Amino acid sequence: KAARFPAHKEIEEFNFDHQPSADRNLIAHLGTGVFLTEAKNVVLLGPPGTGKTHLAVGIGIKAAKAGHRVLFDSATGWVARLQEAHSRGKLPQELAKLRRYSLLIIDEVGYIPFDQDAANLFFQLVSSRYEHASMILTSNLPFARWGDVFGDLTIASAMIDRIVHHADVISLKGNSYRLRKHQTADTTA
Ligand code: ADP
Ligand code: MG
């Protein structure tokens, strides 16, 4: 609620047999929240419907239950928030305020490309949290394509460098879980 999760999705509801690329022991470990005390990040990559948001929310719920301050938004939502603060001349204050959250979840990096201002603001968010506080990021695009998202290979590389320096990168695979029932129906028809 306070963390503004888009849906209530727990790790326990996740079917790891359907998604062997997600190591259940690693996800359980992330659920302990130890990574937050080390200001480490988690990056969930993979095609739509493979469970990125589910796992990000599941880890976030565990962190919130353990008393950590957690805030969820889409990448475009975060940029809009920073743009608003920037337009009031309050970007440094906003970044400082956000640093008091142990965990920011940044969902759907890559669905909507950023213009240069948005890319710069996003870079400042990543820089301001580097080695201070954690992020979970999800993206449908591999890192190699983040240059397209941010319209600038230099910014994208500098950002990825900071994100993955202390991070678990989890690449989910396969078809959309949303479509699995249709697929089962197809193969048994
Ligand atoms: P993504 O963010 O990768 O596009 P989501 O996490 O939103 O995908 O997953 C799409 C839907 O399928 C959600 O309702 C989610 O709870 C469910 N889902 C995806 N993968 C699994 C899984 N392995 N086990 C249980 N539910 C899953
Ligand atoms: Mg998603």
Side-chain angles (χ1 to χ4, degrees):
K1 293 141 274 183
R4 296 194 281 139
F5 296 123
H8 189 93
K9 300 280 180 182
E10 303 245 12
I11 293 173
E12 287 76 8
E13 300 166 83
F14 195 80
N15 181 351
F16 287 91
D17 295 329
H18 190 270
Q19 183 50 265
S21 306
D23 176 350
R24 71 177 77 222
N25 294 321
L26 172 59
I27 302 298
H29 177 68
L30 293 171
T32 67
V34 170
F35 78 105
L36 300 171
T37 65
E38 299 166 344
K40 286 175 67 178
N41 301 315
V42 178
V43 185
L44 292 155
L45 303 174
T50 49
K52 302 181 296 296
T53 302
H54 185 135
L55 289 175
V57 170
I59 297 165
I61 286 174
K62 289 261 186 289
K65 277 185 181 160
H68 295 285
R69 299 181 75 198
V70 181
L71 214 44
F72 180 106
D73 208 338
S74 64
T76 51
W78 284 113
V79 166
R81 185 184 178 118
L82 298 177
Q83 262 158 353
E84 194 272 329
H86 185 54
S87 71
R88 289 185 290 112
K90 299 268 186 208
L91 184 62
Q93 290 87 337
E94 182 67 16
L95 292 172
K97 188 174 131 195
L98 290 174
R99 266 200 305 271
R100 297 205 293 271
Y101 287 80
S102 330
L103 176 60
L104 299 189
I105 302 178
I106 301 170
D107 201 23
E108 299 185 346
V109 175
Y111 276 123
I112 297 168
F114 292 149
D115 63 23
Q116 202 186 339
D117 288 343
N120 282 327
L121 288 167
F122 198 82
F123 178 75
Q124 292 194 57
L125 177 65
V126 168
S127 298
S128 114
R129 300 188 70 77
Y130 175 62
E131 296 189 330
H132 288 286
S134 298
M135 294 178 291
I136 301 179
L137 299 102
T138 83
S139 180
N140 61 316
L141 297 177
F143 288 129
R145 303 247 337 255
W146 283 31
D148 302 340
V149 177
F150 296 99
D152 183 320
L153 209 51
T154 311
I155 287 200
S157 311
M159 191 146 46
I160 293 164
D161 201 50
R162 282 163 179 75
I163 293 168
V164 304
H165 185 196
H166 312 286
D168 284 308
V169 179
I170 301 164
S171 291
L172 303 180
K173 306 219 159 53
N175 300 317
S176 173
Y177 197 83
R178 296 183 183 102
L179 302 176
R180 76 197 185 289
K181 291 206 178 73
H182 308 284
Q183 284 163 354
T184 308
D186 284 350
T187 51
T188 53

